[in-house]
Amino acid sequence: MPINLLFLFTLAILATINASKALEFPQEFFNFTPNIVNVCSTTISISPTGSPISPTPPVPALFIIGDSSVDCGTNNYLGTFARADRLPYGRDFDTHQPTGRFCNGRIPVDYLALRLGLPFVPSYLGQNGNVKDMIQGVNYASAGAGIIVSSGSELGQHISLTHQIQQFTDTYQQFILSMGENVTAHLISNSVFYLSIGINDYIHYYLPNISNVQNLYLPWSFNQFLASNMRREIKNLYSINVRKVVVMGLAPIGCAPHYLWKYSSENGECVEEINDMILEFNFEMRYMVEMLRQELLDSNIIFCDMYEGSMDIIQNYQHYGFNFTSEACCGLGKYNGWIMCISPEMACSNASNHIWWDQFHPTDAVNAILADNVWNGLHSKMCYPMNLEDMVPAKQ
């Protein structure tokens, strides 16, 4: 999850993390219970339209790999500053309590799970490790994670893309021991995998010029490097029977309140030099997905361009009912982009008319729109060559 270094200093003063939460060693994960409401594994039985969830979902499970855009509580169990385990995070969620989601309410995969007739997906570290708790999906996403292992490491512990896939491999082996190889292969090949990662490789690696990376890679070369790594990891998933994959592109972070503040935007104009990098990355990722579809003939991989969907909302904000396009609902500084949301008093009273919740993350209202677009392109076309609804079989 993207957080600037000034926030780290401020958080240490204003919201000291006690010893039971700021874990020092990974082996302590399993001895620690955070003081939050664990709703990642709670079965929410109402669909986005208010109707009951179908007892026969079109796919058996939803597995999620990614960063803070889809983290539902993994980082609550890690020693990190990248955490959303205190109000006002979660204030507009179903339980009105913080869950570890970097949002005032639901994240996109919550809406998509309901579209698929599934309960909210539990975080990998937030469930007991029983097969029955994971049979309908697991969320491995970790705030601060990137495609590059070290991206976001200055924030503390996080679980990178490679390590998340290793966690899924462990889950796969556990399924085999419990259900047998054939049943496991059938379940996984019919499940949906949602990948949303890569933004931290810019925010916490390329843009700060870690390890002099900008002198080693021009933006286009860096994008190709990231895409090649994503390609390798998707093929690794394919080797263990993953067939249905949604690959999310990156959002226009040049429009995020943090960069509007940092680059001294006068009237909320987006930082084009940053958005140009994101556009290039998404172009490269879409091409990579097209090539993988040809190479892995029995796979069904789609690419959803988060940039396109997000810019449609920003440019047509009045159509969607938003009043604030550049100022975050919660934070400090110009555009509320200097420091992340760390106390309820910092938040606006109504997040639903804001596009941005904090310095980097959208509001629940935006997440709902984007999820609709991934599902069936309701508001604008984002996914190629098809939407998620077209990928899954019709309900029986």
Side-chain angles (χ1 to χ4, degrees), residues 6 70 144 205 237 260 287 325 358:
L6 287 171
V70 286
Y205 197 84
L237 289 172
L260 300 186
Y287 177 77
T325 62
D358 63 18

Side-chain angles (χ1 to χ4, degrees), residues 332-346:
L332 287 177
K334 190 174 183 180
Y335 305 110
N336 281 335
W338 174 45
I339 290 175
M340 185 185 158
C341 189
I342 56 179
S343 72
E345 294 73 24
M346 295 168 63

Side-chain angles (χ1 to χ4, degrees), residues 139-169:
N139 188 331
Y140 304 91
S142 173
I147 298 171
I148 299 171
V149 172
S150 61
S151 291
S153 59
E154 76 275 13
L155 302 176
Q157 294 176 337
H158 67 270
I159 303 170
S160 69
L161 171 64
T162 299
H163 292 142
Q164 289 180 44
I165 291 177
Q166 182 57 56
Q167 288 178 336
F168 167 69
T169 302

Side-chain angles (χ1 to χ4, degrees), residues 103-301:
C103 186
N104 61 303
R106 297 180 183 182
I107 50 179
V109 289
D110 293 328
Y111 288 104
L112 291 175
L114 297 178
R115 288 284 193 181
L116 292 167
L118 298 168
F120 287 0
V121 182
S123 70
Y124 180 70
L125 297 181
Q127 43 80 39
N128 296 321
N130 297 323
V131 168
K132 66 179 179 65
D133 296 329
M134 301 186 287
I135 200 71
Q136 290 186 293
V138 181
N139 188 331
Y140 304 91
S142 173
I147 298 171
I148 299 171
V149 172
S150 61
S151 291
S153 59
E154 76 275 13
L155 302 176
Q157 294 176 337
H158 67 270
I159 303 170
S160 69
L161 171 64
T162 299
H163 292 142
Q164 289 180 44
I165 291 177
Q166 182 57 56
Q167 288 178 336
F168 167 69
T169 302
D170 294 342
T171 302
Y172 189 90
Q173 294 300 321
Q174 190 173 350
F175 283 176
I176 290 176
L177 292 173
S178 177
M179 301 183 294
E181 191 166 353
N182 291 338
V183 173
T184 298
H186 179 78
L187 183 147
I188 296 303
S189 63
N190 286 283
S191 297
V192 170
F193 283 72
Y194 184 101
L195 277 64
S196 179
I197 199 165
I199 205 71
N200 289 309
D201 297 295
Y202 294 90
I203 294 172
H204 293 297
Y205 197 84
Y206 192 81
L207 292 175
N209 199 24
I210 302 298
S211 302
N212 203 32
V213 64
Q214 292 182 16
N215 289 333
L216 299 174
Y217 292 93
L218 293 174
W220 178 246
S221 299
F222 185 68
N223 291 330
Q224 290 181 311
F225 171 75
L226 294 179
S228 66
N229 278 273
M230 280 290 288
R231 179 180 182 274
R232 183 186 68 247
E233 298 297 357
I234 293 172
K235 293 188 72 172
N236 287 338
L237 289 172
Y238 179 85
S239 70
I240 44 179
N241 291 303
V242 172
R243 295 295 182 267
K244 302 179 188 297
V245 183
V246 177
V247 180
M248 297 301 299
L250 302 183
I253 57 165
C255 302
H258 173 71
Y259 286 115
L260 300 186
W261 164 79
K262 188 171 184 177
Y263 283 71
S264 301
S265 175
E266 289 295 328
N267 299 302
E269 300 91 351
C270 301
V271 182
E272 294 303 324
E273 63 187 271
I274 296 177
N275 278 351
D276 286 346
M277 297 181 197
I278 303 304
L279 278 169
E280 287 184 353
F281 174 84
N282 288 351
F283 177 85
E284 183 66 22
M285 288 294 292
R286 181 174 171 181
Y287 177 77
M288 180 270 291
V289 166
E290 291 175 356
M291 294 300 100
L292 278 179
R293 287 179 62 88
Q294 296 178 27
E295 179 181 353
L296 310 176
L297 296 180
D298 60 340
S299 67
N300 198 348
I301 309 172

Side-chain angles (χ1 to χ4, degrees), residues 299-310:
S299 67
N300 198 348
I301 309 172
I302 64 174
F303 173 75
C304 296
D305 195 328
M306 187 71 80
Y307 187 99
E308 287 188 16
S310 300

